[in-house]
Amino acid sequence: MLRLSILLALAVGAYSHLCLINPHQRGSAASINKPGADDCGLTTGPCGGRHGGQPMVAVPSGETVNITFQKNLNHFNAEKPGHFAFAFGTEQKLEAIGMTPDTNTSSPWLYEFPIDVPKVEKRETGVLQVTYVTSNPNAPAVFYQCADVEIIP
């Protein structure tokens, strides 16, 4: 019984998840309201192993927009809290644009974070990356999600 409990604890520990709601993450977002959703457990940088496509949303140049994301499973570490980080650019060159601390919340939990959209003179496409840095030794170090966006002047 102890062996089964340890195995189950390890399996749950491997499933801390991050889902990007708005703008919509690359790929599917199936079952995101169920803690441990597979589409939100991506641990390969920079975009969870998912490749880009057509922009899913257009955002206005130079404006502030809200990013909505979900911590699909809580791995809060009270001794050393993690954080959520935001970057924008291309998959080859992402530049940090913001960060907010992790909090001890139930699973799943929605967050909203404002970001300033870069000013552009002509339409540009880019990648918005959100990462969940757990800082929890019992969980994967980082979870990744990306969305393809178009910035319009």
Side-chain angles (χ1 to χ4, degrees):
M1 187 65 164
L2 178 60
R3 177 181 274 173
L4 178 61
S5 297
I6 291 171
L7 180 62
L8 287 173
L10 289 173
V12 169
Y15 282 101
S16 173
H17 293 63
L18 168 69
C19 305
L20 185 52
I21 310 292
N22 185 38
H24 190 279
Q25 68 193 28
R26 289 179 175 175
S28 173
S31 303
I32 65 169
N33 290 324
K34 178 183 174 189
D38 289 340
D39 279 323
C40 304
L42 309 179
T43 57
T44 303
C47 292
R50 291 183 171 166
H51 300 288
Q54 294 296 318
M56 297 294 288
V57 66
V59 293
S61 171
E63 299 288 324
T64 299
V65 297
N66 287 325
I67 303 298
T68 305
F69 60 98
Q70 178 195 69
K71 179 169 58 172
N72 189 257
L73 197 58
N74 187 19
H75 276 287
F76 180 75
N77 180 0
E79 293 177 15
K80 185 180 177 188
H83 64 273
F84 301 93
F86 309 90
F88 185 80
T90 66
E91 284 185 48
Q92 294 76 29
K93 186 177 181 188
L94 290 160
E95 294 185 29
I97 58 172
M99 184 172 41
T100 191
D102 187 12
T103 56
N104 192 15
T105 57
S106 60
S107 301
W109 193 265
L110 287 178
Y111 291 82
E112 194 169 73
F113 187 79
I115 63 163
D116 294 323
V117 178
K119 284 193 172 200
V120 299
E121 298 297 320
K122 60 181 178 131
R123 287 180 182 254
E124 291 187 20
T125 58
V127 175
L128 172 69
Q129 178 199 60
V130 180
T131 55
Y132 175 20
V133 179
T134 66
S135 297
N136 186 331
N138 298 315
V142 183
F143 292 87
Y144 299 87
Q145 286 293 348
C146 288
D148 298 294
V149 299
E150 180 176 36
I151 302 174
I152 53 174

